[in-house]
Amino acid sequence: MSLKVLMISASPRKKSNTMMVLEHCRDAVESRGVECEIVSLRGMNIESCRACLSCAKKHRCKIDDGLNGIIDRIREADGFIVATPVYFGTARGDLMSALQRIGMVSRVSDGFLSWKVGGPIAVARRGGHTATIQELLMFYFINDMIVPGSTYWNMVFGWAPGEVEDDDEGIETIRRFGENVAELIKRIHSGE
């Protein structure tokens, strides 16, 4: 059986600090024998949840903006990690809209998020990291997901393109988090 983690980058930039951090996380996950895929929200126009509950019957979101394809990938994955830049002290709005809809589809249909392993990553110039991580953890915990720790909180400092590479401690924290996600997935699926 092939184990897999799906990652979402919420950065609107093509070659962003957020994507660089996720690539480090991906490399750490894959170094432990778990497959990884990074999906970007860049260029997508993600609408907010309407709470129409049509997903309860269809197991898909009624809004046709490309998010259902991501939901299908998450449903097939064993882990789910999101990373966002922090511009004004919180996660990007499009990511929050996506997570609200993903969570709604899971909660009122087949509960596909339950027991998935993952967590949030925040990338910022100066501050807002911890508030963003706390905001994103609400999604993980209400959806019965498992969030492993690391050697620090999952945050990396950087502003100019590539500047995150100078935050050695942040990158090491993210790499350890990725390793922990992979190892926990493997243990859950091996029955240990």
Side-chain angles (χ1 to χ4, degrees):
M1 171 175 45
S2 177
L3 302 174
K4 184 174 182 179
V5 173
L6 185 85
M7 300 177 164
I8 290 182
S9 170
S11 177
R13 299 185 176 140
K14 189 172 186 176
K15 187 63 177 164
S16 67
N17 281 319
T18 302
M19 186 60 84
M20 289 177 199
V21 170
L22 266 185
E23 289 167 352
H24 281 284
C25 190
R26 176 203 59 208
D27 294 347
V29 169
E30 290 182 343
S31 76
R32 298 299 174 118
V34 175
E35 185 183 336
C36 241
E37 178 185 4
I38 300 175
V39 174
S40 175
L41 297 182
R42 186 174 60 81
M44 297 180 76
N45 188 15
I46 304 295
E47 291 185 39
S48 292
C49 182
R50 300 174 188 162
C52 66
L53 299 180
S54 67
C55 54
K57 294 178 184 173
K58 297 180 178 185
H59 300 270
R60 301 177 62 73
C61 185
K62 182 178 182 176
I63 303 169
D64 186 21
D65 58 5
L67 190 61
N68 280 318
I70 295 173
I71 289 172
D72 291 341
R73 289 165 152 156
I74 296 167
R75 190 177 259 119
E76 295 169 3
D78 305 288
F80 181 47
I81 295 171
V82 298
T84 184
V86 179
Y87 297 147
F88 290 96
T90 61
R92 283 187 40 87
D94 55 352
L95 177 62
M96 294 311 298
S97 292
L99 292 179
Q100 289 164 5
R101 287 171 51 203
I102 292 164
M104 182 66 81
V105 173
S106 177
R107 289 176 63 80
V108 302
S109 61
D110 56 351
F112 64 87
L113 289 172
S114 182
W115 276 77
K116 289 203 188 297
V117 179
I121 298 170
V123 180
R125 173 185 73 87
R126 187 121 178 105
H129 294 85
T130 54
T132 299
I133 289 169
Q134 290 166 350
E135 175 185 33
L136 292 169
L137 281 172
M138 301 289 277
F139 164 81
Y140 285 88
F141 294 146
I142 199 170
N143 285 295
D144 196 30
M145 299 174 79
I146 302 167
V147 180
S150 184
T151 55
Y152 202 75
W153 295 285
N154 297 340
M155 59 174 138
V156 183
F157 289 86
W159 180 67
E163 201 170 58
V164 291
E165 300 292 348
D166 297 332
D167 182 2
D168 294 336
E169 182 182 10
I171 295 298
E172 184 54 38
T173 298
I174 298 306
R175 291 191 60 80
R176 182 64 178 181
F177 169 66
E179 292 168 355
N180 288 343
V181 166
E183 288 300 323
L184 186 52
I185 288 170
K186 286 170 22 182
R187 289 181 189 206
I188 288 170
H189 287 278
S190 72
E192 286 184 19

